[in-house]
């Protein structure tokens, strides 16, 4: 009777608390219960109190232990002796974490975000590499072009003339300035005046943009026999105020025309000793290094020429220091 009563109290308490009964192994407990069989009820009550006290100590020790989902929990070892029902009941009600539960995960979202980041980084890397190689190629081509222009520029396109004020002029006098140059003669009936008016208008258009450097217009005569200093001074007054007239001896004019590959030929004289000079009708553009940069024929309008010169000014790279 005492054994049954004591063990009954013990199993009911363990099923309710779901703890490991440390120091209260079932086999030893049964032995104690067997020894106490046949004693009076007072001793049975004392034994029961001792069992409850031992279980209470075990309870406090078990709940003070840290829980680890990966390790084998000590409660399961003891509860196996008490039955599956006790194990199910205790795990559902007393364990702080359930082994069967799982928290929602964001692994697919993280993987997608990682792929997007990696793809973006690869794209940026490829674009950066392409841009770098493209820039290096452009720089290399630009340097090659500069070297070629330097070789062409040495001793090319020079002249040694005098202006309409009688001052000697060479190409070096215009280094550092943009120059529009035209070859013609003062007795030209219509073509030369039209081209000089066009040059004057282009210069005026460019002057409206204060961010652009000024352009120096130059008129070189291919008729040195009639276009002396005085005739040139009188002629250039009808055009832009900055227009500079250049002339010289026949030999000097010939050298200037040859340097810029200008064709001109004097026609036969009439009864009034007048004649026409056939010549190349081209407007030359020289950059501040004195290099021939571009040319414009009669088909180019004032607006076309002005826009072209603006582009050349914006992309200009100085060759000589």
């Amino acid at each position: 009777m005492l054994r049954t009563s004591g063990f009954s109290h013990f199993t009911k308490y363990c099923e309710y608390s779901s703890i490991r009964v440390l120091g209260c192994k079932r086999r030893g407990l049964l032995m104690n219960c067997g020894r106490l069989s046949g004693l009076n009820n007072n001793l049975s009550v004392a034994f029961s109190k001792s069992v409850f006290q031992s279980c209470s100590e075990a309870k406090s020790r078990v709940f003070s232990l840290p829980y680890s989902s990966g390790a084998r929990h000590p409660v399961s070892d003891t509860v196996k002796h008490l039955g599956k029902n006790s194990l199910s009941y205790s795990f559902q009600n007393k364990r702080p974490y359930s082994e069967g539960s799982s928290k929602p995960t964001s692994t697919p979202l993280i993987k997608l975000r990682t792929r997007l980041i990696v793809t973006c980084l690869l794209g940026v890397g490829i674009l950066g590499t392409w841009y770098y190689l493209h820039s290096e190629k452009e720089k290399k081509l630009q340097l090659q072009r500069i070297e070629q222009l330097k070789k062409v520029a040495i001793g090319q396109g020079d002249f040694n003339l005098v202006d309409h004020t009688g001052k000697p002029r060479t190409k070096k006098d215009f280094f550092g300035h943009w120059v529009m140059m035209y070859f013609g003669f003062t007795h030209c009936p219509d073509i030369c005046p039209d081209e000089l008016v066009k040059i004057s208008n282009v210069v005026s258009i460019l002057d409206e943009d204060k961010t652009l450097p000024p352009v120096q217009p130059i008129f070189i005569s291919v008729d040195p026999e009639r276009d002396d200093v005085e005739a040139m001074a009188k002629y250039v007054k009808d055009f832009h105020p900055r227009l500079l007239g250049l002339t010289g001896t026949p030999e000097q004019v010939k050298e200037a025309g040859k340097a810029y590959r200008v064709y001109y030929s004097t026609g036969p004289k009439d009864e009034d000793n007048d004649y026409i000079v056939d010549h190349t009708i081209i407007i030359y553009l020289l950059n501040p290094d004195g290099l021939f940069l571009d040319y414009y024929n009669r088909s180019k309008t004032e607006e076309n020429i002005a826009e072209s010169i603006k582009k050349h000014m914006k992309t200009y790279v100085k060759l000589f220091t």
Side-chain angles (χ1 to χ4, degrees):
M1 183 66 181
L2 176 61
R3 180 175 54 185
T4 303
S5 176
F7 186 74
S8 175
H9 287 295
F10 170 71
T11 54
K12 287 181 180 180
Y13 186 82
C14 290
E15 287 179 356
Y16 177 78
S17 59
S18 179
I19 61 174
R20 181 180 180 182
V21 186
L22 300 175
C24 296
K25 294 183 179 180
R26 184 178 180 182
R27 184 177 299 176
L29 180 60
L30 292 176
M31 292 176 63
N32 290 335
C33 293
R35 292 172 186 174
L36 295 175
S37 61
L39 297 180
N40 56 22
N41 292 333
N42 292 334
L43 186 57
S44 175
V45 172
F47 174 76
S48 298
K49 289 182 179 181
S50 176
V51 170
F52 293 151
Q53 184 178 359
S54 299
C55 291
S56 298
E57 292 177 359
K59 172 185 176 182
S60 61
R61 292 179 61 184
V62 169
F63 284 121
S64 65
L65 294 174
Y67 173 74
S68 175
S69 61
R72 187 177 180 182
H73 201 280
V75 175
S76 61
D77 296 335
T78 302
V79 179
K80 283 180 180 179
H81 300 283
L82 304 179
K84 297 183 179 179
N85 294 333
S86 175
L87 180 62
S88 302
Y89 176 79
S90 61
F91 277 19
Q92 292 176 2
N93 295 275
K94 297 299 180 181
R95 290 190 60 178
Y97 296 99
S98 176
E99 292 181 355
S101 63
S102 61
K103 296 182 178 180
T105 179
S106 58
T107 302
L109 179 60
I110 293 176
K111 289 183 178 179
L112 178 59
R113 186 180 301 172
T114 302
R115 291 176 183 176
L116 290 175
I117 293 174
V118 171
T119 303
C120 292
L121 291 176
L122 288 176
V124 171
I126 293 172
L127 289 176
T129 303
W130 176 85
Y131 180 77
Y132 173 78
L133 295 176
H134 181 72
S135 300
E136 290 297 319
K137 183 179 179 180
E138 290 294 328
K139 290 179 180 179
K140 186 176 181 180
L141 293 175
Q142 183 68 17
L143 291 175
Q144 291 178 352
R145 181 175 179 274
I146 289 173
E147 292 299 323
Q148 292 173 355
L149 289 174
K150 284 182 177 180
K151 293 178 180 179
V152 173
I154 297 175
Q156 301 295 322
D158 201 359
F159 54 83
N160 187 10
L161 302 169
V162 294
D163 64 19
H164 63 269
T165 65
K167 181 180 179 179
R169 295 284 186 171
T170 65
K171 189 178 70 173
K172 293 181 179 179
D173 295 329
F174 303 99
F175 283 175
H177 301 278
W178 290 88
V179 175
M180 292 182 67
M181 188 166 57
Y182 178 78
F183 288 81
F185 62 106
T186 61
H187 289 75
C188 183
D190 50 9
I191 296 177
C192 291
D194 292 343
E195 293 301 298
L196 290 176
V197 169
K198 183 188 296 184
I199 291 174
S200 300
N201 292 336
V202 170
V203 173
S204 298
I205 293 173
L206 296 174
D207 285 343
E208 293 176 358
D209 190 345
K210 302 302 180 182
T211 63
L212 300 177
V215 176
Q216 175 61 57
I218 295 178
F219 171 57
I220 298 178
S221 174
V222 292
D223 186 15
E225 294 183 359
R226 291 181 293 183
D227 294 339
D228 55 11
V229 172
E230 183 179 358
M232 293 293 287
K234 183 179 179 180
Y235 188 74
V236 297
K237 290 191 302 182
D238 296 332
F239 304 99
H240 197 276
R242 288 208 304 271
L243 180 62
L244 190 65
L246 301 181
T247 187
T249 64
E251 291 76 13
Q252 291 174 329
V253 171
K254 183 178 180 180
E255 289 297 325
K258 183 179 180 181
Y260 289 95
R261 292 174 173 81
V262 175
Y263 165 81
Y264 67 94
S265 176
T266 303
K269 297 180 180 180
D270 58 13
E271 298 177 354
D272 297 329
N273 204 24
D274 193 13
Y275 55 90
I276 299 295
V277 179
D278 186 18
H279 61 88
T280 302
I281 307 172
I282 287 179
I283 298 173
Y284 294 84
L285 177 65
L286 307 182
N287 67 14
D289 294 309
L291 300 179
F292 164 69
L293 194 62
D294 209 341
Y295 71 94
Y296 310 101
N297 54 30
R298 295 185 65 186
S299 64
K300 298 295 182 179
T301 64
E302 301 167 359
E303 291 76 15
N304 296 147
I305 298 174
E307 188 64 28
S308 175
I309 294 176
K310 286 181 181 180
K311 292 180 180 179
H312 285 299
M313 288 180 173
K314 292 179 180 179
T315 59
Y316 166 68
V317 177
K318 189 173 182 180
L319 303 181
F320 304 109
T321 56

